[in-house]
Amino acid sequence: MKKIILSGILLLALGCMTQAQTVPVYLDETKPVEERIEDALGRMTLEEKVAITHAQSKFCSPGVARLGIPEFWMTDGPHGIRPEVLWDEWDQAGWTNDSCVAFPTLTCLAATWDPKVALLYGKSIGEEARYRNKTVLLGPGVNIYRSPLNGRNFEYMGEDPYLSGKMVVPYIQGVQQNGVAACVKHFALNNQEVNRHTTNVIIDDRTLYEIYLPAFKAAVQEGKAWSIMGSYNLYKDQHCCHNQYLLNDILREEWGFDGVVISDWGGVHDTQQAITNGLDMEFGSWTNGLSNGASNAYDNYYLADPYLKLIKEGKVGTKELDDKVRRILRLAYRTNMDRNRPYGALCSEAHFAAARHIGEEGIVLLQNNNNVLPIDLNKAKKIAVIGENAIKMMTVGGGSSSLKVKYEISPLDGIKKRVGDKAEVVYARGYVGDPSGEYNGVKSGQDLEDSRSPEELIAEAVAVAKDADYVIFIGGLNKSAHQDCEDADRKEIGLSYGQDKVIASLAQANKNLIVVNISGNAITMPWVKEVPTIVQAWYLGTEAGSAIASVLVGDVNPSGKLPFTFPASLQDVGAHKLGEYPGTPRNDGSNIVDEKYNEGIFVGYRWADKEKTKPLFPFGHGLSYTTFTYGKAVADKKVMGADDVLTVTVPVTNSGSREGSEVVQLYISDLKSSLPRSIKELKGFCKVKLAPGETKEVTFTIAKEALSFFDDTLHEWVAEPGKFEAIIAASATDIKSKVSFELK
Ligand code: GLC
C-alpha cells in the first residue's frame, strides 16, 4: 500500500513539474491580438469563461487572475467619472481621491455643432477615466429626443440622427485613444424613463432605421466603439439587453460590430436569451440600476451558475460562451492589456479649460431684443441675479450621471467673479425648487432650505430688481426627480415651482431682463413676449458659472444652436399628438407596456414641417452678438448620377462688428418620393468663424447617401431618381438659400 502511495505522490510531483515546464505562466504578448485571444481562450477553464461574462461587484467583472488577465472596471458616466461606490452597494465608498471634472452634458456638446469640440470632450473625459483605471466609460448616450418629457434627454444629443451621429463619433475616438472603451448607450429605443424596464416599443423598420439607429450605426462603423450598452426596454417583445434583432441581426450581422455588448444594470431577465441573443457581459441583475437591489447575487446572475449548470448538464453547448469570451478578451487587449496604453490625467488645468470651452461653445442665445446682451460693464452700476439655479449645485443629481466634483462654479459666483468691482451684484432667491443637495450619498454641502412664501420671495426679487441696470433670472430644471432625471420623466413641459410667475413679475419691474434657462429639455415660455433676452444654458458642469458669465458679459460671442425643437406646446410633438406616450399596459398578467411610435419618422422639426406648426424656437436656432448674411447657394451641376458627388457652395459674411461663429446647415428635400418623406432632413453642417466683414465660402458635398431613404420593404437605403433641393439654412425655419438639382 505504502509503495502505491509513494509512487502516486512521485507521479503527481512529476506531473506538476512537466505541467509547469510545458505551459508558460503568462500569456504570449508578442502575437497579434486575434492570436492572443485564441491563446488565452485555450487556457481558460469553463468556470473562468463563465465568470468573466458577468459582474462580481456593482461596477466590475472578473478577469482571470491565474493568467494575468485584469478585472474589468466600468464607470459612469457620459459627463464625468462617477465617484467610487462600495463593492456591492450603490452608496458612496467615501474615497477622497475620486473627485472629478464635471463636463457639460451632452445636449450642450450637441449644441456646439462642432465635431472638434466633441473630440476635445472625449479626449478629456477619457483621460479622467484612464487615470482612474477604468476599462469602460458607460457613455455616451445617443438616444433620440422624441419627447420633451424624457428624463434623460440631458444625457443625449438631441432630435436629429445626423447631428447625433456626427457629434458622437469624435467623442468615442477621443475616449478610446486613452485605452478606455466607450460604451454607447442605450441600444436601442430608450426614449423615455416612464416604465423604462417594461416598455415594449412598437415601431416600423423605416422609422427605426432612419431615426433611431443612425447615431448608433455611426458610433459603431465610424467611431469604432469597443462596447455598446443594451437598453432596459423591449423591442419585438425581447428585452434589448438580449435581443436577437438588435444585437445579432443588426449590430453584428449588418453593422459588423466586433466589440462587447454590456447589459444595462438590471437589464437581463432570461438565461436562454442572454446566451443566444447577443449579450456578452451581465451587470446589475436584480437592481433597479440606480439605488437598490439584491446583494451578493452574483453567482445567481443569469449568466452565472444557471449558465454553468446548463452547460454541465449538456443542455447548451459552449459555442456562444467562447464567442462572448473572445469579445471580452478583445476588450481586454484594447484596454487593460494594451502595453501602449496612455496614462490619462485627472482634474488637470486642461480639463477645467475644456469644460469651460465646451460650455461657452454650447450656450444658445435664443432671443436678444433691444440687444440687452452683452452686459455693458462700463455702464452697469447694479446687476440683480434672481433664481435658485443661480446658486444650486447641478453636478449632483439626475441619476447615474451624478458626480462628485473637485469644484463647481455656480452662475452667481461666476457672475460675481467676472463683474468684480465694476458693478454691485445683488441676489434674491425668487423661488424655492429643490432645496436638497444630496444624491446617492454625494452631498453638495448646500443648505437651500427657505421657508418663505412664494409671495414673499417674489416681493423680495422685485424689490431687488426694479432699480437694477440688468436683471438676470436663472431658473429652469434642476435634475431632481421629474426635473430632468433618470427613472423619472417630467410631468409637464412648463417650468415648475411657480417660476413663470416670478419671471412675469420681473418683466414688469425691469425691461432689461435676461432669462437664463438651465435645462436639458425644452420648456414652454408664456412670458416669451415680455422678456427681451433669453439664453439656453445647459447643465454646464464644473465651470458653469464661468461659461455663463463670459457669454453674458460678451467675453465670448455665443454660437450654440439648439439640438432639439422648443415646441409651442406638447400637442405640437408627434409622440404626444399621435404617439401613445407613455404607452398602454398589456393587462395580460405581464407587466409589459406597449408603445407604438405612431408619429414614425416625423420627430422634432420633421413633425413641425409636416404639421406646419410654429415652434417656440426651432431646431438649429441660435443667435449671436454679431450678424451673418448669406449669399446665394450654387451647385456645381444641375444633374448628378448615382455615383456622382454634387458640390454646393454658399458665401457667408459676418456683417456685424465683432468676431463670431455661425453654424451653416444643409438640409436635403426630396421633392417627390414613392414613400412619404420629411419635407427636409439635416445632411450637413459647418461651424465657421468669421471676423467682422469677413466672407468665407462654405462648401458641402452631397452623395447619393444624403438623398436616400430606408425602404423597409426592400430593407435597404434607396436614392430615387428625381428632383431634389439643397437647402442652406441658419435653423430649421430660417432658410437662406435653395438650389435645385436632379438625381438621374
Ligand atoms: C443605470 C443607467 C445606465 C448606467 C447604469 C450604471 O440604470 O441606465 O445608463 O450606466 O445603470 O449606473
Side-chain angles (χ1 to χ4, degrees), residues 59 75-77 82 90 138-139 152 155 185-186 190 193 196-197 229 232 264-265 288-290 400 486:
F59 283 94
T75 182
D76 288 314
R82 180 174 182 157
W90 289 104
L138 301 171
R152 296 186 82 173
E155 293 187 48
K185 66 189 187 181
H186 305 85
N190 185 181
E193 292 297 292
R196 65 175 180 161
H197 294 272
M229 185 188 291
Y232 283 131
D264 200 341
W265 271 238
N288 65 1
L290 262 188
S400 57
E486 180 172 344

PDB file of all heavy atoms in Angstrom, residues 59 75-77 82 90 138-139 152 155 185-186 190 193 196-197 229 232 264-265 288-290 400 486, ligand 1:
ATOM      1  N   PHE A  59     -19.704  47.439 -10.038  1.00  0.00           N
ATOM      2  CA  PHE A  59     -19.145  48.023 -11.258  1.00  0.00           C
ATOM      3  C   PHE A  59     -17.910  47.287 -11.781  1.00  0.00           C
ATOM      4  O   PHE A  59     -17.134  47.863 -12.543  1.00  0.00           O
ATOM      5  CB  PHE A  59     -18.817  49.505 -11.042  1.00  0.00           C
ATOM      6  CG  PHE A  59     -20.036  50.376 -11.086  1.00  0.00           C
ATOM      7  CD1 PHE A  59     -20.693  50.716  -9.924  1.00  0.00           C
ATOM      8  CD2 PHE A  59     -20.563  50.800 -12.295  1.00  0.00           C
ATOM      9  CE1 PHE A  59     -21.842  51.485  -9.956  1.00  0.00           C
ATOM     10  CE2 PHE A  59     -21.710  51.576 -12.349  1.00  0.00           C
ATOM     11  CZ  PHE A  59     -22.359  51.914 -11.169  1.00  0.00           C
ATOM     12  N   THR A  75     -17.304  52.451 -15.391  1.00  0.00           N
ATOM     13  CA  THR A  75     -17.683  53.651 -14.644  1.00  0.00           C
ATOM     14  C   THR A  75     -18.690  54.482 -15.420  1.00  0.00           C
ATOM     15  O   THR A  75     -18.552  54.680 -16.626  1.00  0.00           O
ATOM     16  CB  THR A  75     -16.486  54.548 -14.318  1.00  0.00           C
ATOM     17  OG1 THR A  75     -16.949  55.671 -13.553  1.00  0.00           O
ATOM     18  CG2 THR A  75     -15.796  55.070 -15.580  1.00  0.00           C
ATOM     19  N   ASP A  76     -19.675  55.004 -14.675  1.00  0.00           N
ATOM     20  CA  ASP A  76     -20.464  56.093 -15.260  1.00  0.00           C
ATOM     21  C   ASP A  76     -19.550  57.293 -15.300  1.00  0.00           C
ATOM     22  O   ASP A  76     -18.541  57.322 -14.570  1.00  0.00           O
ATOM     23  CB  ASP A  76     -21.693  56.365 -14.371  1.00  0.00           C
ATOM     24  CG  ASP A  76     -22.709  55.235 -14.507  1.00  0.00           C
ATOM     25  OD1 ASP A  76     -22.980  54.829 -15.636  1.00  0.00           O
ATOM     26  OD2 ASP A  76     -23.212  54.773 -13.467  1.00  0.00           O
ATOM     27  N   GLY A  77     -19.895  58.419 -15.976  1.00  0.00           N
ATOM     28  CA  GLY A  77     -20.980  58.386 -16.960  1.00  0.00           C
ATOM     29  C   GLY A  77     -20.553  59.255 -18.111  1.00  0.00           C
ATOM     30  O   GLY A  77     -19.373  59.568 -18.280  1.00  0.00           O
ATOM     31  N   ARG A  82     -17.763  58.886 -12.329  1.00  0.00           N
ATOM     32  CA  ARG A  82     -18.584  58.704 -11.109  1.00  0.00           C
ATOM     33  C   ARG A  82     -17.699  58.392  -9.900  1.00  0.00           C
ATOM     34  O   ARG A  82     -16.692  57.698 -10.021  1.00  0.00           O
ATOM     35  CB  ARG A  82     -19.540  57.550 -11.357  1.00  0.00           C
ATOM     36  CG  ARG A  82     -20.482  57.215 -10.209  1.00  0.00           C
ATOM     37  CD  ARG A  82     -21.488  56.160 -10.622  1.00  0.00           C
ATOM     38  NE  ARG A  82     -22.415  55.867  -9.530  1.00  0.00           N
ATOM     39  CZ  ARG A  82     -23.627  55.340  -9.717  1.00  0.00           C
ATOM     40  NH1 ARG A  82     -24.042  55.050 -10.926  1.00  0.00           N
ATOM     41  NH2 ARG A  82     -24.425  55.098  -8.693  1.00  0.00           N
ATOM     42  N   TRP A  90     -24.854  50.637  -3.728  1.00  0.00           N
ATOM     43  CA  TRP A  90     -24.911  51.852  -4.559  1.00  0.00           C
ATOM     44  C   TRP A  90     -24.331  53.041  -3.809  1.00  0.00           C
ATOM     45  O   TRP A  90     -24.027  54.067  -4.391  1.00  0.00           O
ATOM     46  CB  TRP A  90     -26.354  52.147  -4.968  1.00  0.00           C
ATOM     47  CG  TRP A  90     -26.885  51.184  -5.974  1.00  0.00           C
ATOM     48  CD1 TRP A  90     -27.761  50.165  -5.751  1.00  0.00           C
ATOM     49  CD2 TRP A  90     -26.555  51.132  -7.362  1.00  0.00           C
ATOM     50  NE1 TRP A  90     -28.005  49.490  -6.925  1.00  0.00           N
ATOM     51  CE2 TRP A  90     -27.271  50.062  -7.928  1.00  0.00           C
ATOM     52  CE3 TRP A  90     -25.712  51.884  -8.185  1.00  0.00           C
ATOM     53  CZ2 TRP A  90     -27.188  49.727  -9.280  1.00  0.00           C
ATOM     54  CZ3 TRP A  90     -25.620  51.555  -9.529  1.00  0.00           C
ATOM     55  CH2 TRP A  90     -26.351  50.494 -10.065  1.00  0.00           C
ATOM     56  N   LEU A 138     -19.127  54.304 -19.261  1.00  0.00           N
ATOM     57  CA  LEU A 138     -20.522  53.980 -19.616  1.00  0.00           C
ATOM     58  C   LEU A 138     -21.194  55.217 -20.209  1.00  0.00           C
ATOM     59  O   LEU A 138     -21.978  55.904 -19.574  1.00  0.00           O
ATOM     60  CB  LEU A 138     -21.266  53.462 -18.380  1.00  0.00           C
ATOM     61  CG  LEU A 138     -20.636  52.204 -17.762  1.00  0.00           C
ATOM     62  CD1 LEU A 138     -21.283  51.874 -16.436  1.00  0.00           C
ATOM     63  CD2 LEU A 138     -20.701  51.022 -18.725  1.00  0.00           C
ATOM     64  N   GLY A 139     -20.814  55.477 -21.410  1.00  0.00           N
ATOM     65  CA  GLY A 139     -21.331  56.616 -22.175  1.00  0.00           C
ATOM     66  C   GLY A 139     -20.534  56.674 -23.457  1.00  0.00           C
ATOM     67  O   GLY A 139     -19.558  55.930 -23.613  1.00  0.00           O
ATOM     68  N   ARG A 152     -34.064  61.704 -19.370  1.00  0.00           N
ATOM     69  CA  ARG A 152     -32.628  61.612 -19.636  1.00  0.00           C
ATOM     70  C   ARG A 152     -32.194  62.306 -20.909  1.00  0.00           C
ATOM     71  O   ARG A 152     -31.061  62.155 -21.354  1.00  0.00           O
ATOM     72  CB  ARG A 152     -32.184  60.146 -19.675  1.00  0.00           C
ATOM     73  CG  ARG A 152     -32.363  59.453 -18.359  1.00  0.00           C
ATOM     74  CD  ARG A 152     -31.802  58.065 -18.373  1.00  0.00           C
ATOM     75  NE  ARG A 152     -30.351  58.052 -18.134  1.00  0.00           N
ATOM     76  CZ  ARG A 152     -29.651  56.935 -17.970  1.00  0.00           C
ATOM     77  NH1 ARG A 152     -30.250  55.757 -18.072  1.00  0.00           N
ATOM     78  NH2 ARG A 152     -28.346  56.981 -17.742  1.00  0.00           N
ATOM     79  N   GLU A 155     -28.789  63.795 -21.186  1.00  0.00           N
ATOM     80  CA  GLU A 155     -27.595  62.946 -21.392  1.00  0.00           C
ATOM     81  C   GLU A 155     -27.358  62.640 -22.857  1.00  0.00           C
ATOM     82  O   GLU A 155     -26.368  61.993 -23.195  1.00  0.00           O
ATOM     83  CB  GLU A 155     -27.768  61.615 -20.662  1.00  0.00           C
ATOM     84  CG  GLU A 155     -27.782  61.703 -19.153  1.00  0.00           C
ATOM     85  CD  GLU A 155     -27.781  60.313 -18.519  1.00  0.00           C
ATOM     86  OE1 GLU A 155     -26.959  59.466 -18.927  1.00  0.00           O
ATOM     87  OE2 GLU A 155     -28.614  60.077 -17.644  1.00  0.00           O
ATOM     88  N   LYS A 185     -24.743  54.151 -25.456  1.00  0.00           N
ATOM     89  CA  LYS A 185     -25.988  53.672 -24.836  1.00  0.00           C
ATOM     90  C   LYS A 185     -27.136  54.582 -25.206  1.00  0.00           C
ATOM     91  O   LYS A 185     -26.910  55.666 -25.744  1.00  0.00           O
ATOM     92  CB  LYS A 185     -25.785  53.590 -23.325  1.00  0.00           C
ATOM     93  CG  LYS A 185     -25.560  54.929 -22.616  1.00  0.00           C
ATOM     94  CD  LYS A 185     -25.155  54.673 -21.146  1.00  0.00           C
ATOM     95  CE  LYS A 185     -25.085  55.960 -20.357  1.00  0.00           C
ATOM     96  NZ  LYS A 185     -24.664  55.712 -18.954  1.00  0.00           N
ATOM     97  N   HIS A 186     -28.405  54.135 -24.976  1.00  0.00           N
ATOM     98  CA  HIS A 186     -28.821  52.784 -24.560  1.00  0.00           C
ATOM     99  C   HIS A 186     -29.456  52.143 -25.779  1.00  0.00           C
ATOM    100  O   HIS A 186     -30.438  52.676 -26.292  1.00  0.00           O
ATOM    101  CB  HIS A 186     -29.829  52.876 -23.440  1.00  0.00           C
ATOM    102  CG  HIS A 186     -29.348  53.667 -22.264  1.00  0.00           C
ATOM    103  ND1 HIS A 186     -29.437  55.033 -22.167  1.00  0.00           N
ATOM    104  CD2 HIS A 186     -28.726  53.291 -21.134  1.00  0.00           C
ATOM    105  CE1 HIS A 186     -28.920  55.447 -21.029  1.00  0.00           C
ATOM    106  NE2 HIS A 186     -28.470  54.404 -20.374  1.00  0.00           N
ATOM    107  N   ASN A 190     -34.623  53.659 -26.198  1.00  0.00           N
ATOM    108  CA  ASN A 190     -34.858  54.037 -24.811  1.00  0.00           C
ATOM    109  C   ASN A 190     -35.135  55.541 -24.784  1.00  0.00           C
ATOM    110  O   ASN A 190     -34.269  56.335 -24.455  1.00  0.00           O
ATOM    111  CB  ASN A 190     -33.594  53.698 -24.013  1.00  0.00           C
ATOM    112  CG  ASN A 190     -33.736  53.917 -22.525  1.00  0.00           C
ATOM    113  OD1 ASN A 190     -32.797  53.695 -21.786  1.00  0.00           O
ATOM    114  ND2 ASN A 190     -34.871  54.364 -22.064  1.00  0.00           N
ATOM    115  N   GLU A 193     -38.309  57.544 -19.658  1.00  0.00           N
ATOM    116  CA  GLU A 193     -37.946  56.887 -18.408  1.00  0.00           C
ATOM    117  C   GLU A 193     -39.151  56.239 -17.731  1.00  0.00           C
ATOM    118  O   GLU A 193     -38.985  55.386 -16.873  1.00  0.00           O
ATOM    119  CB  GLU A 193     -37.273  57.893 -17.467  1.00  0.00           C
ATOM    120  CG  GLU A 193     -35.895  58.331 -17.984  1.00  0.00           C
ATOM    121  CD  GLU A 193     -34.916  57.173 -18.059  1.00  0.00           C
ATOM    122  OE1 GLU A 193     -34.524  56.649 -17.018  1.00  0.00           O
ATOM    123  OE2 GLU A 193     -34.559  56.783 -19.195  1.00  0.00           O
ATOM    124  N   ARG A 196     -39.425  52.275 -17.839  1.00  0.00           N
ATOM    125  CA  ARG A 196     -38.240  52.042 -18.688  1.00  0.00           C
ATOM    126  C   ARG A 196     -37.845  50.562 -18.747  1.00  0.00           C
ATOM    127  O   ARG A 196     -37.234  50.118 -19.703  1.00  0.00           O
ATOM    128  CB  ARG A 196     -37.072  52.893 -18.229  1.00  0.00           C
ATOM    129  CG  ARG A 196     -36.527  52.584 -16.856  1.00  0.00           C
ATOM    130  CD  ARG A 196     -35.292  53.432 -16.606  1.00  0.00           C
ATOM    131  NE  ARG A 196     -34.699  53.185 -15.299  1.00  0.00           N
ATOM    132  CZ  ARG A 196     -33.442  53.523 -14.996  1.00  0.00           C
ATOM    133  NH1 ARG A 196     -32.678  54.104 -15.905  1.00  0.00           N
ATOM    134  NH2 ARG A 196     -32.945  53.280 -13.805  1.00  0.00           N
ATOM    135  N   HIS A 197     -38.224  49.787 -17.723  1.00  0.00           N
ATOM    136  CA  HIS A 197     -37.865  48.359 -17.752  1.00  0.00           C
ATOM    137  C   HIS A 197     -38.910  47.497 -18.473  1.00  0.00           C
ATOM    138  O   HIS A 197     -38.666  46.330 -18.747  1.00  0.00           O
ATOM    139  CB  HIS A 197     -37.733  47.836 -16.317  1.00  0.00           C
ATOM    140  CG  HIS A 197     -36.603  48.432 -15.561  1.00  0.00           C
ATOM    141  ND1 HIS A 197     -35.315  47.921 -15.583  1.00  0.00           N
ATOM    142  CD2 HIS A 197     -36.551  49.524 -14.759  1.00  0.00           C
ATOM    143  CE1 HIS A 197     -34.523  48.662 -14.812  1.00  0.00           C
ATOM    144  NE2 HIS A 197     -35.244  49.642 -14.301  1.00  0.00           N
ATOM    145  N   MET A 229     -24.082  49.461 -24.828  1.00  0.00           N
ATOM    146  CA  MET A 229     -24.933  49.037 -23.721  1.00  0.00           C
ATOM    147  C   MET A 229     -26.347  48.787 -24.203  1.00  0.00           C
ATOM    148  O   MET A 229     -26.953  49.667 -24.838  1.00  0.00           O
ATOM    149  CB  MET A 229     -24.954  50.091 -22.609  1.00  0.00           C
ATOM    150  CG  MET A 229     -25.738  49.630 -21.375  1.00  0.00           C
ATOM    151  SD  MET A 229     -25.986  50.915 -20.153  1.00  0.00           S
ATOM    152  CE  MET A 229     -24.328  51.152 -19.545  1.00  0.00           C
ATOM    153  N   TYR A 232     -32.928  49.041 -21.323  1.00  0.00           N
ATOM    154  CA  TYR A 232     -33.862  48.319 -20.455  1.00  0.00           C
ATOM    155  C   TYR A 232     -35.116  47.860 -21.184  1.00  0.00           C
ATOM    156  O   TYR A 232     -35.680  46.823 -20.875  1.00  0.00           O
ATOM    157  CB  TYR A 232     -34.315  49.239 -19.316  1.00  0.00           C
ATOM    158  CG  TYR A 232     -33.327  49.436 -18.218  1.00  0.00           C
ATOM    159  CD1 TYR A 232     -33.016  50.713 -17.770  1.00  0.00           C
ATOM    160  CD2 TYR A 232     -32.696  48.364 -17.593  1.00  0.00           C
ATOM    161  CE1 TYR A 232     -32.120  50.915 -16.730  1.00  0.00           C
ATOM    162  CE2 TYR A 232     -31.802  48.558 -16.558  1.00  0.00           C
ATOM    163  CZ  TYR A 232     -31.522  49.842 -16.138  1.00  0.00           C
ATOM    164  OH  TYR A 232     -30.639  50.044 -15.107  1.00  0.00           O
ATOM    165  N   ASP A 264     -27.525  46.887 -19.513  1.00  0.00           N
ATOM    166  CA  ASP A 264     -27.742  47.936 -18.539  1.00  0.00           C
ATOM    167  C   ASP A 264     -27.915  47.245 -17.189  1.00  0.00           C
ATOM    168  O   ASP A 264     -28.179  46.045 -17.117  1.00  0.00           O
ATOM    169  CB  ASP A 264     -28.983  48.773 -18.922  1.00  0.00           C
ATOM    170  CG  ASP A 264     -28.948  50.127 -18.233  1.00  0.00           C
ATOM    171  OD1 ASP A 264     -28.207  50.265 -17.228  1.00  0.00           O
ATOM    172  OD2 ASP A 264     -29.626  51.042 -18.715  1.00  0.00           O
ATOM    173  N   TRP A 265     -27.772  48.025 -16.142  1.00  0.00           N
ATOM    174  CA  TRP A 265     -27.765  47.426 -14.792  1.00  0.00           C
ATOM    175  C   TRP A 265     -29.177  46.988 -14.413  1.00  0.00           C
ATOM    176  O   TRP A 265     -30.053  47.796 -14.188  1.00  0.00           O
ATOM    177  CB  TRP A 265     -27.198  48.432 -13.799  1.00  0.00           C
ATOM    178  CG  TRP A 265     -25.710  48.355 -13.634  1.00  0.00           C
ATOM    179  CD1 TRP A 265     -25.028  48.139 -12.472  1.00  0.00           C
ATOM    180  CD2 TRP A 265     -24.706  48.460 -14.649  1.00  0.00           C
ATOM    181  NE1 TRP A 265     -23.670  48.117 -12.675  1.00  0.00           N
ATOM    182  CE2 TRP A 265     -23.445  48.301 -14.008  1.00  0.00           C
ATOM    183  CE3 TRP A 265     -24.712  48.664 -16.029  1.00  0.00           C
ATOM    184  CZ2 TRP A 265     -22.237  48.345 -14.696  1.00  0.00           C
ATOM    185  CZ3 TRP A 265     -23.517  48.701 -16.725  1.00  0.00           C
ATOM    186  CH2 TRP A 265     -22.298  48.544 -16.070  1.00  0.00           C
ATOM    187  N   ASN A 288     -32.312  48.030  -9.582  1.00  0.00           N
ATOM    188  CA  ASN A 288     -33.093  48.917 -10.459  1.00  0.00           C
ATOM    189  C   ASN A 288     -32.142  49.786 -11.270  1.00  0.00           C
ATOM    190  O   ASN A 288     -32.541  50.744 -11.902  1.00  0.00           O
ATOM    191  CB  ASN A 288     -34.047  49.791  -9.626  1.00  0.00           C
ATOM    192  CG  ASN A 288     -33.257  50.748  -8.736  1.00  0.00           C
ATOM    193  OD1 ASN A 288     -32.011  50.747  -8.770  1.00  0.00           O
ATOM    194  ND2 ASN A 288     -33.955  51.542  -7.962  1.00  0.00           N
ATOM    195  N   GLY A 289     -30.858  49.455 -11.178  1.00  0.00           N
ATOM    196  CA  GLY A 289     -29.871  50.186 -11.971  1.00  0.00           C
ATOM    197  C   GLY A 289     -29.496  51.504 -11.346  1.00  0.00           C
ATOM    198  O   GLY A 289     -28.671  52.225 -11.870  1.00  0.00           O
ATOM    199  N   LEU A 290     -30.111  51.795 -10.185  1.00  0.00           N
ATOM    200  CA  LEU A 290     -29.849  53.116  -9.612  1.00  0.00           C
ATOM    201  C   LEU A 290     -29.541  53.057  -8.133  1.00  0.00           C
ATOM    202  O   LEU A 290     -28.550  53.565  -7.660  1.00  0.00           O
ATOM    203  CB  LEU A 290     -31.092  54.004  -9.787  1.00  0.00           C
ATOM    204  CG  LEU A 290     -31.111  54.972 -10.943  1.00  0.00           C
ATOM    205  CD1 LEU A 290     -32.306  55.867 -10.826  1.00  0.00           C
ATOM    206  CD2 LEU A 290     -29.827  55.742 -11.034  1.00  0.00           C
ATOM    207  N   SER A 400     -27.707  58.203 -12.683  1.00  0.00           N
ATOM    208  CA  SER A 400     -26.391  57.549 -12.695  1.00  0.00           C
ATOM    209  C   SER A 400     -25.282  58.474 -13.191  1.00  0.00           C
ATOM    210  O   SER A 400     -24.108  58.190 -13.013  1.00  0.00           O
ATOM    211  CB  SER A 400     -26.453  56.317 -13.596  1.00  0.00           C
ATOM    212  OG  SER A 400     -26.864  56.701 -14.892  1.00  0.00           O
ATOM    213  N   GLU A 486     -33.044  60.660 -14.399  1.00  0.00           N
ATOM    214  CA  GLU A 486     -33.204  59.251 -14.773  1.00  0.00           C
ATOM    215  C   GLU A 486     -34.333  58.630 -13.974  1.00  0.00           C
ATOM    216  O   GLU A 486     -34.550  58.979 -12.822  1.00  0.00           O
ATOM    217  CB  GLU A 486     -31.885  58.526 -14.454  1.00  0.00           C
ATOM    218  CG  GLU A 486     -31.878  57.064 -14.781  1.00  0.00           C
ATOM    219  CD  GLU A 486     -30.494  56.449 -14.638  1.00  0.00           C
ATOM    220  OE1 GLU A 486     -29.501  57.194 -14.590  1.00  0.00           O
ATOM    221  OE2 GLU A 486     -30.448  55.214 -14.571  1.00  0.00           O
TER     222      GLU A 486
HETATM  223  C1  GLC B   1     -28.281  52.942 -14.941  1.00  0.00           C
HETATM  224  C2  GLC B   1     -28.364  53.565 -16.306  1.00  0.00           C
HETATM  225  C3  GLC B   1     -27.111  53.392 -17.122  1.00  0.00           C
HETATM  226  C4  GLC B   1     -25.928  53.380 -16.171  1.00  0.00           C
HETATM  227  C5  GLC B   1     -26.025  52.100 -15.357  1.00  0.00           C
HETATM  228  C6  GLC B   1     -24.948  52.040 -14.267  1.00  0.00           C
HETATM  229  O1  GLC B   1     -29.518  52.439 -14.575  1.00  0.00           O
HETATM  230  O2  GLC B   1     -29.482  53.230 -17.117  1.00  0.00           O
HETATM  231  O3  GLC B   1     -27.035  54.470 -18.065  1.00  0.00           O
HETATM  232  O4  GLC B   1     -24.715  53.417 -16.888  1.00  0.00           O
HETATM  233  O5  GLC B   1     -27.309  51.929 -14.761  1.00  0.00           O
HETATM  234  O6  GLC B   1     -25.145  53.038 -13.336  1.00  0.00           O
END
